[in-house]
Each structure stands twice: as structure tokens, then as C-alpha cells.
Amino acid sequence: MALTWSKLGVVLSLFGTLALSLQAVAQEPNFQIGSSVISELKYKPGFKHFNYVNPDAPKGGNLRLTATGTYDTFNPLLAKGEVAVGLTLPFETLMKSADDELLASYGLLAEGVSSPDDVSSATFRLRKEAKWADGSQVTPEDVVFSFEKSKELNPLLSNYYKHVLKAEKTGERDVTFTFDEKNNKELPNILGQLTIVPKHWWEGTGPDGKPRDISKTTLEPVMGSGPYKIAAFAPGATIRYELRDDYWGKDLNVNVGQNNFGSITYTYFGDRDVEFEAFRAGNSDYWQETQAARWATGYDFPAVKDGRVKKEDVPNALRATGIMQALVPNTRRDIFKDEKVREALNFGFDFEELNRTVAFNTYKRIDSYFWNTELASSGLPEGRELEILKGLKDKLSPAVFTTRYTNPVGGDPQKSRDNLRKAIGLFKEAGWEIKGNRMVNTKTGRPMSFEILLSSPMLERWAVPYTNNLKKIGIDARVRTVDASQYTNRVRSFDYDMIWNVWAQTMNPGNEQADYWGSGSANQQGSRNYAGIADPAIDALIRMVIFAPNRDEQVAAIKALDRVLLAGHYVVPLFYRGAQSIAYWNTITRPAEYPTYGTGFPDAWWSSAASK
């Protein structure tokens, strides 16, 4: 039977209503309690606490810690000045990481997160109970303000979040971040790490009656929503944080068994050795050792012998971290633009000799930008990795396909001489030769001369022997150690010939790779592209890493990126250990078991005195 116009109108009206209803359902965010980049979440809705914490850990007592250098600002977003250590304590992020699973985080300020299937956006829903220290509610406006100011005032964060077009309030407690590209699966997770600051506080007036300015450094104690507040400080010297009794999130599942110390005090020292003496004397409770010689010979004092100080090598924190520690030549300088020059510089570093004489053979040489993880390239490329590289063949050196990356091996006078001869040969290919005991450019006659800028005298025991070795082949290499403030300013502005740097990689490399090695960050002051790398092939590989549709494709792209970076000889790889060396007094207590991927310090530790 044919439909009449009136019946057809009713049908169309019903169909339109149904379509709108379905559209509304489709658009309603499906909020999850957390976000995981590479696997399902370990913890399910309703979980009580993380498995590695002691839910009955006592509250109270004082944790005494130390830091090297100085500070001159409490502004957590600004890329200016020296930010006070521990400044994460008064502030919070939208999500909180779990230390017993890879790349997973759970709701902190946000009770949930939602993304569409194409990951074109991410929406976070704030908790109703989330409050600032003054009792006012944390709002979507605070999140939008924090995001916009982070991008405006911090080049590193601007690059990190460059694919986020905007943040906007989309509900009473909802804020939505819109992306410029789809299927960047890491973006929701890294937005969960965004430090949230109170808009009303920063737009208000300070105790002096003057308007606050988030674009400037400040030593006014800042206000946050976190478990601690700045209680006292001596500018540049000490800072004490106190646990807030009125902290809104004290009973949240992601906080149970954590934030246990009643106060946390940091004391600054100008010298790392003096800082260690403070630990030895019992004036600080915890020490992370970074000097192999001291770890081997410097712990024979009475407190270690009688058990008041415990020493531990803990591999957990490095299980999920790829390390590249290296001397980094600045390719913005003409003398380092040639790949052969950079390769030659590696032949001047005798790791085996220094490892024996300085480090008691406790270190291993780094040979990957993702060293000590499953993401490190090895051998010659094959399988999917080889296919990816073949797609970029016209942009790559043939050595990428034919030569396995290896570091020079020294350790005795003959090997050292052979390595220096190889270095001379590479310099010659690059247009440098030795004349009158000096390495000079054959075209300009300019001698090879550069400075290694360091932030700590502790590094000199490695850098000075390296420069002495280079002097044997006519290179005027010098070491200059400067204070923390000067070092930070010079590195941010790329005002150096060579520096010592450590890049730490997660098991899910993503958007930060563009900040480390991408062309867009090469001349962006404040970026972490310290070498000044600008290579179309590397840019293409970074995009493949970020937008990989699955884990297998991602790993293949990461290994290809690693291989191309190594072939470019952008760094002189140094060394690292496979465990974190820590020592601590019996004044503090750790959880019975460390989390799989960390030590849980200081969040999950507690004061021994508080438990009595």
C-alpha cells in the first residue's frame, strides 16, 4: 500500500528523530578510568590502590633531600630561570602514571578520558571533588589556561603538543583537546601529563598588591591542587614542602599509600662531592649514586657497615627506559657539519681505558639511541625494518644497509694508536690534515678547536682525558665547566660547541622524537635537538613512529630511526649501567617490593619515625 504524504511525513519525522538520537549516542564520550598506549589497562574500575604501595603506610616525619646548583623560580610552566626542585609536589596532572605497567596512567584531576576511534580528539572529565588549595574547584577553564600558557611560554612543551590544535570547555566538567591529525595514539596519554595551574590565582594579585604574571619568574610560593604546599624557603638554598591536611585527593585510589612524608626538605649544594658528604654525615636521607668509583670505594663509613645505611642496585627503573648518554657536537657549528668529522671524534674516545681507570669496569658502552631495550637496532636491517629503509633509500647513506654500527674498541696503547690513525684518515676525507702538530682545514687553514661545555666538575674525569687524547692528533679541545644557571641558558640558546647530554626514552617513543631529532626543532631555542639534526629521512621516520598503526610497525620504524641516527654519527656515545644505584638511611622505609618499573621514591616510601 502506498504511503500518503502525511504518513510519509510522520515516517521521515520519526526517522529524523531516530537519526538525531543515534548521533547523540555516538557523540556521547565513553569515559575510561585511564589510558594505555600499548596494552590494556592492568587496573580495572573500582581498584583500591596500586599493587606496589603499602596502603597502611604511616603519615608524618620529614624527608631530607639534596640538590646540586641553585633555583630562582617557582613558576612550573615557564622555560626561564632555574625551577626549584620538587615543584611537582604542589601541582597535579590530569592523569597519574602507574609504576608497575608500561605507559599507563589513571585519573587524578580527571576521573576519566575519552577519545573517538580515529583519535582526532581527547576529552577529559574533571572530578567534582578536585579543589585548589584555597578551596575553589578545579575547572575546565584552568585546564585550557594551563595548556595555552604551556605552549606559549615553553618551547619544549610547544613542540611536544604541536599537534594539539586547541583546548576548549565542552561541558560543566569536560575539556576537549582537538588534534590536527588522526590516529596519533600517544596524544591523549601525554595530555594527561599536562601540569594544571590555577587560572584565577595567576590572574590575581600577589601579597605586594601587584598583578601576578605567569610569563615571568617568581619566588612567591605558588598555589596548586597537589598534596604539598611550599612552607618555607631560602632563595636558591633550601625549600621545604609540607603535606596538606586539607588535600582533596588524599583518599583517591591512585594516591592511597603515597604522599606519606609530613614534609620534604631540599638543601642545595654547589658541589656534588660536598653534597655526598652531607649524606654520609646523616644530613640527608636518600642518595642516588652516579659515580661508579665512589659506589665501588666510597661507602666504607660506619653507618654502612652497621646497617644504618643500605646500598642497593635496582634495575627496575631502567627496565622501561632506553638511554643515550653522549657527547653531543653542535652541527650548527661549521666544524661539525661533516659526518666524517663527527665519526672521527668517536675514535678519540677510549672507553675501555676510562672504564677501567675511572669506573672499575662497571659501565657498558652505549651503541643505540634506545640502548638496553627491545627497541634498539642491531646487526643489519631485515624484515619490515629493511622495507621501511628501502622506501627512503634515495635519502640515506648506503652504509645504513651495509654496515652494522659499532663503537671503536680501545683499552691498550696499540688499540688507542690504531683508533687515532683511523680518526686522522676520516679527518683527511673531510678536508682536515695535521700541519705543524695541529689539525687544520686544508682550504681555510683554520685549526680545529672546540670547547666541551659541562654542568658539573664530576664529568671532567671523563671529558679531560678525552680532550687529551684528541690533542695527540692536533685538535685543540677544551673543557669548560659552568654553574647551573649559565649552563641552562647556553644550552637553551644552542650557545656551545659540544655538550654532555642524556636522553631517556620510554618504551613508546612518539611525539618527543620530533623535539629530539626533527628538522622543525633544530633552530627552535629551548628544544632538545641539541645536535641540530635536520634530515628529511629522519623526519619521515619520526612520523612513521608516531603514526604507526600497531606495535610491530612501530618497533620496526623505531629501529629504522635508531639505525639512521647512528649512521649520521651525531653523537659520541658514552656509557651507562643497567641498574640504579641508591643508598638510604634507616630513617626512611621503602615498600616491601619495588614496582616493576621504578623505585616508588619518594611517593610510596615513608618515615621510619612515623611508624613508631
Side-chain angles (χ1 to χ4, degrees), residues 32 40 101 108 117 177 197 224 278 291 296 309-310 330 345 353 384 395 397 486 495 545 575 585 598:
Q32 306 296 319
E40 290 187 7
E101 58 184 315
L108 183 54
D117 291 340
F177 298 89
V197 300
Q291 187 176 318
V309 168
K310 296 181 180 179
N330 184 357
L345 291 172
E353 175 67 11
R384 179 57 184 148
K395 298 182 178 69
S397 164
Q486 184 179 353
D495 180 21
V545 170
F575 45 81
W585 284 81

PDB file of all heavy atoms in Angstrom, residues 32 40 101 108 117 177 197 224 278 291 296 309-310 330 345 353 384 395 397 486 495 545 575 585 598:
ATOM      1  N   GLN A  32      36.878   6.379  30.111  1.00  0.00           N
ATOM      2  CA  GLN A  32      37.616   5.276  30.717  1.00  0.00           C
ATOM      3  C   GLN A  32      38.376   5.809  31.932  1.00  0.00           C
ATOM      4  O   GLN A  32      38.735   6.985  31.986  1.00  0.00           O
ATOM      5  CB  GLN A  32      38.592   4.681  29.697  1.00  0.00           C
ATOM      6  CG  GLN A  32      37.954   4.255  28.381  1.00  0.00           C
ATOM      7  CD  GLN A  32      36.961   3.122  28.548  1.00  0.00           C
ATOM      8  OE1 GLN A  32      37.215   2.192  29.316  1.00  0.00           O
ATOM      9  NE2 GLN A  32      35.837   3.196  27.852  1.00  0.00           N
ATOM     10  N   GLU A  40      46.230  -3.244  27.252  1.00  0.00           N
ATOM     11  CA  GLU A  40      45.066  -2.994  28.084  1.00  0.00           C
ATOM     12  C   GLU A  40      45.504  -2.546  29.465  1.00  0.00           C
ATOM     13  O   GLU A  40      46.575  -2.909  29.951  1.00  0.00           O
ATOM     14  CB  GLU A  40      44.213  -4.267  28.207  1.00  0.00           C
ATOM     15  CG  GLU A  40      43.507  -4.664  26.918  1.00  0.00           C
ATOM     16  CD  GLU A  40      42.545  -5.816  27.148  1.00  0.00           C
ATOM     17  OE1 GLU A  40      42.343  -6.207  28.317  1.00  0.00           O
ATOM     18  OE2 GLU A  40      41.998  -6.324  26.156  1.00  0.00           O
ATOM     19  N   GLU A 101      53.286  -0.824  35.317  1.00  0.00           N
ATOM     20  CA  GLU A 101      52.907  -1.170  33.949  1.00  0.00           C
ATOM     21  C   GLU A 101      53.441  -0.104  33.008  1.00  0.00           C
ATOM     22  O   GLU A 101      53.663   1.047  33.393  1.00  0.00           O
ATOM     23  CB  GLU A 101      51.396  -1.348  33.792  1.00  0.00           C
ATOM     24  CG  GLU A 101      50.559  -0.156  34.171  1.00  0.00           C
ATOM     25  CD  GLU A 101      49.069  -0.451  34.067  1.00  0.00           C
ATOM     26  OE1 GLU A 101      48.645  -1.048  33.062  1.00  0.00           O
ATOM     27  OE2 GLU A 101      48.323  -0.077  34.983  1.00  0.00           O
ATOM     28  N   LEU A 108      43.554  11.332  37.808  1.00  0.00           N
ATOM     29  CA  LEU A 108      43.926  12.075  39.007  1.00  0.00           C
ATOM     30  C   LEU A 108      42.988  13.279  39.112  1.00  0.00           C
ATOM     31  O   LEU A 108      41.922  13.167  39.695  1.00  0.00           O
ATOM     32  CB  LEU A 108      45.393  12.488  38.954  1.00  0.00           C
ATOM     33  CG  LEU A 108      45.958  13.225  40.183  1.00  0.00           C
ATOM     34  CD1 LEU A 108      45.716  12.447  41.454  1.00  0.00           C
ATOM     35  CD2 LEU A 108      47.442  13.531  39.999  1.00  0.00           C
ATOM     36  N   ASP A 117      37.276   6.776  17.865  1.00  0.00           N
ATOM     37  CA  ASP A 117      38.056   5.685  17.271  1.00  0.00           C
ATOM     38  C   ASP A 117      39.223   6.191  16.436  1.00  0.00           C
ATOM     39  O   ASP A 117      40.270   5.542  16.370  1.00  0.00           O
ATOM     40  CB  ASP A 117      37.149   4.799  16.401  1.00  0.00           C
ATOM     41  CG  ASP A 117      36.149   4.007  17.234  1.00  0.00           C
ATOM     42  OD1 ASP A 117      36.394   3.854  18.445  1.00  0.00           O
ATOM     43  OD2 ASP A 117      35.131   3.568  16.671  1.00  0.00           O
ATOM     44  N   PHE A 177      40.476  18.372  23.861  1.00  0.00           N
ATOM     45  CA  PHE A 177      41.637  18.755  23.064  1.00  0.00           C
ATOM     46  C   PHE A 177      41.429  18.222  21.648  1.00  0.00           C
ATOM     47  O   PHE A 177      41.188  17.026  21.463  1.00  0.00           O
ATOM     48  CB  PHE A 177      42.915  18.160  23.652  1.00  0.00           C
ATOM     49  CG  PHE A 177      43.229  18.637  25.044  1.00  0.00           C
ATOM     50  CD1 PHE A 177      42.722  17.968  26.158  1.00  0.00           C
ATOM     51  CD2 PHE A 177      44.025  19.755  25.240  1.00  0.00           C
ATOM     52  CE1 PHE A 177      43.018  18.399  27.440  1.00  0.00           C
ATOM     53  CE2 PHE A 177      44.320  20.192  26.531  1.00  0.00           C
ATOM     54  CZ  PHE A 177      43.816  19.522  27.622  1.00  0.00           C
ATOM     55  N   VAL A 197      47.583  24.432  36.404  1.00  0.00           N
ATOM     56  CA  VAL A 197      47.771  25.538  37.345  1.00  0.00           C
ATOM     57  C   VAL A 197      46.468  26.324  37.459  1.00  0.00           C
ATOM     58  O   VAL A 197      45.632  26.296  36.555  1.00  0.00           O
ATOM     59  CB  VAL A 197      48.930  26.465  36.897  1.00  0.00           C
ATOM     60  CG1 VAL A 197      50.237  25.689  36.814  1.00  0.00           C
ATOM     61  CG2 VAL A 197      48.609  27.127  35.550  1.00  0.00           C
ATOM     62  N   GLY A 224      48.797  25.319  44.288  1.00  0.00           N
ATOM     63  CA  GLY A 224      48.391  24.252  43.401  1.00  0.00           C
ATOM     64  C   GLY A 224      47.250  23.462  44.001  1.00  0.00           C
ATOM     65  O   GLY A 224      46.626  23.880  44.990  1.00  0.00           O
ATOM     66  N   ALA A 278      77.290  15.412  52.842  1.00  0.00           N
ATOM     67  CA  ALA A 278      76.112  15.699  53.661  1.00  0.00           C
ATOM     68  C   ALA A 278      75.303  14.427  53.888  1.00  0.00           C
ATOM     69  O   ALA A 278      74.767  14.198  54.984  1.00  0.00           O
ATOM     70  CB  ALA A 278      75.255  16.768  52.990  1.00  0.00           C
ATOM     71  N   GLN A 291      78.299   8.107  40.343  1.00  0.00           N
ATOM     72  CA  GLN A 291      79.745   7.998  40.156  1.00  0.00           C
ATOM     73  C   GLN A 291      80.201   6.577  40.511  1.00  0.00           C
ATOM     74  O   GLN A 291      80.168   6.164  41.672  1.00  0.00           O
ATOM     75  CB  GLN A 291      80.465   9.019  41.044  1.00  0.00           C
ATOM     76  CG  GLN A 291      81.952   9.106  40.811  1.00  0.00           C
ATOM     77  CD  GLN A 291      82.567  10.205  41.653  1.00  0.00           C
ATOM     78  OE1 GLN A 291      82.021  11.293  41.786  1.00  0.00           O
ATOM     79  NE2 GLN A 291      83.708   9.917  42.248  1.00  0.00           N
ATOM     80  N   ALA A 296      81.980   2.105  44.232  1.00  0.00           N
ATOM     81  CA  ALA A 296      82.850   0.959  44.494  1.00  0.00           C
ATOM     82  C   ALA A 296      83.693   1.137  45.749  1.00  0.00           C
ATOM     83  O   ALA A 296      83.990   0.155  46.444  1.00  0.00           O
ATOM     84  CB  ALA A 296      83.762   0.717  43.295  1.00  0.00           C
ATOM     85  N   VAL A 309      72.828   2.537  56.993  1.00  0.00           N
ATOM     86  CA  VAL A 309      72.690   2.943  55.598  1.00  0.00           C
ATOM     87  C   VAL A 309      72.685   1.688  54.732  1.00  0.00           C
ATOM     88  O   VAL A 309      73.565   0.839  54.870  1.00  0.00           O
ATOM     89  CB  VAL A 309      73.834   3.878  55.163  1.00  0.00           C
ATOM     90  CG1 VAL A 309      73.831   4.056  53.649  1.00  0.00           C
ATOM     91  CG2 VAL A 309      73.702   5.236  55.849  1.00  0.00           C
ATOM     92  N   LYS A 310      71.695   1.592  53.853  1.00  0.00           N
ATOM     93  CA  LYS A 310      71.590   0.442  52.958  1.00  0.00           C
ATOM     94  C   LYS A 310      71.982   0.865  51.543  1.00  0.00           C
ATOM     95  O   LYS A 310      71.640   1.952  51.084  1.00  0.00           O
ATOM     96  CB  LYS A 310      70.170  -0.112  52.966  1.00  0.00           C
ATOM     97  CG  LYS A 310      69.738  -0.669  54.317  1.00  0.00           C
ATOM     98  CD  LYS A 310      68.320  -1.222  54.247  1.00  0.00           C
ATOM     99  CE  LYS A 310      67.889  -1.786  55.597  1.00  0.00           C
ATOM    100  NZ  LYS A 310      66.494  -2.315  55.563  1.00  0.00           N
ATOM    101  N   ASN A 330      77.618  20.209  18.270  1.00  0.00           N
ATOM    102  CA  ASN A 330      76.585  21.100  17.751  1.00  0.00           C
ATOM    103  C   ASN A 330      76.799  21.289  16.249  1.00  0.00           C
ATOM    104  O   ASN A 330      77.687  22.036  15.829  1.00  0.00           O
ATOM    105  CB  ASN A 330      76.667  22.436  18.491  1.00  0.00           C
ATOM    106  CG  ASN A 330      75.571  23.393  18.093  1.00  0.00           C
ATOM    107  OD1 ASN A 330      74.763  23.104  17.217  1.00  0.00           O
ATOM    108  ND2 ASN A 330      75.528  24.541  18.759  1.00  0.00           N
ATOM    109  N   LEU A 345      85.596  11.836  15.637  1.00  0.00           N
ATOM    110  CA  LEU A 345      85.656  12.211  17.042  1.00  0.00           C
ATOM    111  C   LEU A 345      85.398  11.024  17.965  1.00  0.00           C
ATOM    112  O   LEU A 345      85.898  10.977  19.087  1.00  0.00           O
ATOM    113  CB  LEU A 345      84.658  13.327  17.327  1.00  0.00           C
ATOM    114  CG  LEU A 345      84.997  14.697  16.710  1.00  0.00           C
ATOM    115  CD1 LEU A 345      83.854  15.668  16.889  1.00  0.00           C
ATOM    116  CD2 LEU A 345      86.277  15.256  17.324  1.00  0.00           C
ATOM    117  N   GLU A 353      89.643   2.077  28.334  1.00  0.00           N
ATOM    118  CA  GLU A 353      90.668   2.551  29.247  1.00  0.00           C
ATOM    119  C   GLU A 353      90.050   3.357  30.394  1.00  0.00           C
ATOM    120  O   GLU A 353      90.393   3.170  31.568  1.00  0.00           O
ATOM    121  CB  GLU A 353      91.677   3.417  28.492  1.00  0.00           C
ATOM    122  CG  GLU A 353      92.744   4.078  29.353  1.00  0.00           C
ATOM    123  CD  GLU A 353      93.717   3.075  29.983  1.00  0.00           C
ATOM    124  OE1 GLU A 353      93.693   1.880  29.579  1.00  0.00           O
ATOM    125  OE2 GLU A 353      94.478   3.481  30.877  1.00  0.00           O
ATOM    126  N   ARG A 384      60.628  -6.034   8.085  1.00  0.00           N
ATOM    127  CA  ARG A 384      59.874  -4.794   7.903  1.00  0.00           C
ATOM    128  C   ARG A 384      60.776  -3.570   8.064  1.00  0.00           C
ATOM    129  O   ARG A 384      60.595  -2.570   7.369  1.00  0.00           O
ATOM    130  CB  ARG A 384      58.723  -4.742   8.902  1.00  0.00           C
ATOM    131  CG  ARG A 384      57.879  -3.471   8.808  1.00  0.00           C
ATOM    132  CD  ARG A 384      57.305  -3.266   7.416  1.00  0.00           C
ATOM    133  NE  ARG A 384      56.588  -2.009   7.310  1.00  0.00           N
ATOM    134  CZ  ARG A 384      56.512  -1.281   6.197  1.00  0.00           C
ATOM    135  NH1 ARG A 384      57.107  -1.706   5.088  1.00  0.00           N
ATOM    136  NH2 ARG A 384      55.833  -0.157   6.191  1.00  0.00           N
ATOM    137  N   LYS A 395      67.392   8.907   0.206  1.00  0.00           N
ATOM    138  CA  LYS A 395      67.732   9.917   1.210  1.00  0.00           C
ATOM    139  C   LYS A 395      68.753   9.419   2.216  1.00  0.00           C
ATOM    140  O   LYS A 395      69.144  10.151   3.130  1.00  0.00           O
ATOM    141  CB  LYS A 395      66.481  10.363   1.963  1.00  0.00           C
ATOM    142  CG  LYS A 395      65.406  11.035   1.124  1.00  0.00           C
ATOM    143  CD  LYS A 395      64.236  11.468   2.007  1.00  0.00           C
ATOM    144  CE  LYS A 395      63.164  12.193   1.202  1.00  0.00           C
ATOM    145  NZ  LYS A 395      62.472  11.289   0.276  1.00  0.00           N
ATOM    146  N   SER A 397      72.373   7.172   3.490  1.00  0.00           N
ATOM    147  CA  SER A 397      73.719   6.709   3.159  1.00  0.00           C
ATOM    148  C   SER A 397      73.685   5.207   2.902  1.00  0.00           C
ATOM    149  O   SER A 397      72.985   4.467   3.611  1.00  0.00           O
ATOM    150  CB  SER A 397      74.662   7.016   4.324  1.00  0.00           C
ATOM    151  OG  SER A 397      75.860   6.274   4.212  1.00  0.00           O
ATOM    152  N   GLN A 486      74.099  29.342  34.146  1.00  0.00           N
ATOM    153  CA  GLN A 486      74.756  29.667  32.883  1.00  0.00           C
ATOM    154  C   GLN A 486      74.646  28.497  31.908  1.00  0.00           C
ATOM    155  O   GLN A 486      74.415  28.702  30.702  1.00  0.00           O
ATOM    156  CB  GLN A 486      76.223  30.017  33.126  1.00  0.00           C
ATOM    157  CG  GLN A 486      76.951  30.467  31.858  1.00  0.00           C
ATOM    158  CD  GLN A 486      78.396  30.845  32.113  1.00  0.00           C
ATOM    159  OE1 GLN A 486      78.841  30.905  33.248  1.00  0.00           O
ATOM    160  NE2 GLN A 486      79.149  31.094  31.060  1.00  0.00           N
ATOM    161  N   ASP A 495      74.168  27.786  22.495  1.00  0.00           N
ATOM    162  CA  ASP A 495      75.437  28.523  22.539  1.00  0.00           C
ATOM    163  C   ASP A 495      76.542  27.619  23.090  1.00  0.00           C
ATOM    164  O   ASP A 495      77.003  27.792  24.218  1.00  0.00           O
ATOM    165  CB  ASP A 495      75.272  29.779  23.388  1.00  0.00           C
ATOM    166  CG  ASP A 495      76.550  30.603  23.480  1.00  0.00           C
ATOM    167  OD1 ASP A 495      77.427  30.438  22.590  1.00  0.00           O
ATOM    168  OD2 ASP A 495      76.686  31.400  24.432  1.00  0.00           O
ATOM    169  N   VAL A 545      56.996   6.529  13.217  1.00  0.00           N
ATOM    170  CA  VAL A 545      56.957   6.093  14.619  1.00  0.00           C
ATOM    171  C   VAL A 545      55.685   6.594  15.285  1.00  0.00           C
ATOM    172  O   VAL A 545      54.978   5.837  15.970  1.00  0.00           O
ATOM    173  CB  VAL A 545      58.197   6.605  15.378  1.00  0.00           C
ATOM    174  CG1 VAL A 545      58.048   6.368  16.876  1.00  0.00           C
ATOM    175  CG2 VAL A 545      59.460   5.925  14.865  1.00  0.00           C
ATOM    176  N   PHE A 575      78.302   5.900  28.016  1.00  0.00           N
ATOM    177  CA  PHE A 575      78.176   4.667  28.785  1.00  0.00           C
ATOM    178  C   PHE A 575      77.023   4.780  29.759  1.00  0.00           C
ATOM    179  O   PHE A 575      76.490   5.860  30.004  1.00  0.00           O
ATOM    180  CB  PHE A 575      79.465   4.414  29.568  1.00  0.00           C
ATOM    181  CG  PHE A 575      79.972   5.656  30.242  1.00  0.00           C
ATOM    182  CD1 PHE A 575      79.435   6.092  31.445  1.00  0.00           C
ATOM    183  CD2 PHE A 575      80.961   6.434  29.637  1.00  0.00           C
ATOM    184  CE1 PHE A 575      79.864   7.252  32.040  1.00  0.00           C
ATOM    185  CE2 PHE A 575      81.397   7.612  30.238  1.00  0.00           C
ATOM    186  CZ  PHE A 575      80.849   8.019  31.446  1.00  0.00           C
ATOM    187  N   TRP A 585      69.330   5.986  54.415  1.00  0.00           N
ATOM    188  CA  TRP A 585      69.427   5.780  55.857  1.00  0.00           C
ATOM    189  C   TRP A 585      68.184   5.043  56.363  1.00  0.00           C
ATOM    190  O   TRP A 585      67.124   5.065  55.707  1.00  0.00           O
ATOM    191  CB  TRP A 585      69.567   7.117  56.575  1.00  0.00           C
ATOM    192  CG  TRP A 585      70.950   7.704  56.468  1.00  0.00           C
ATOM    193  CD1 TRP A 585      71.467   8.399  55.410  1.00  0.00           C
ATOM    194  CD2 TRP A 585      71.981   7.642  57.459  1.00  0.00           C
ATOM    195  NE1 TRP A 585      72.760   8.772  55.662  1.00  0.00           N
ATOM    196  CE2 TRP A 585      73.105   8.322  56.921  1.00  0.00           C
ATOM    197  CE3 TRP A 585      72.069   7.094  58.724  1.00  0.00           C
ATOM    198  CZ2 TRP A 585      74.296   8.457  57.620  1.00  0.00           C
ATOM    199  CZ3 TRP A 585      73.264   7.233  59.436  1.00  0.00           C
ATOM    200  CH2 TRP A 585      74.360   7.896  58.886  1.00  0.00           C
ATOM    201  N   GLY A 598      60.178   0.975  38.558  1.00  0.00           N
ATOM    202  CA  GLY A 598      60.636   2.120  39.318  1.00  0.00           C
ATOM    203  C   GLY A 598      61.014   1.744  40.736  1.00  0.00           C
ATOM    204  O   GLY A 598      61.001   0.572  41.124  1.00  0.00           O
TER     205      GLY A 598
END
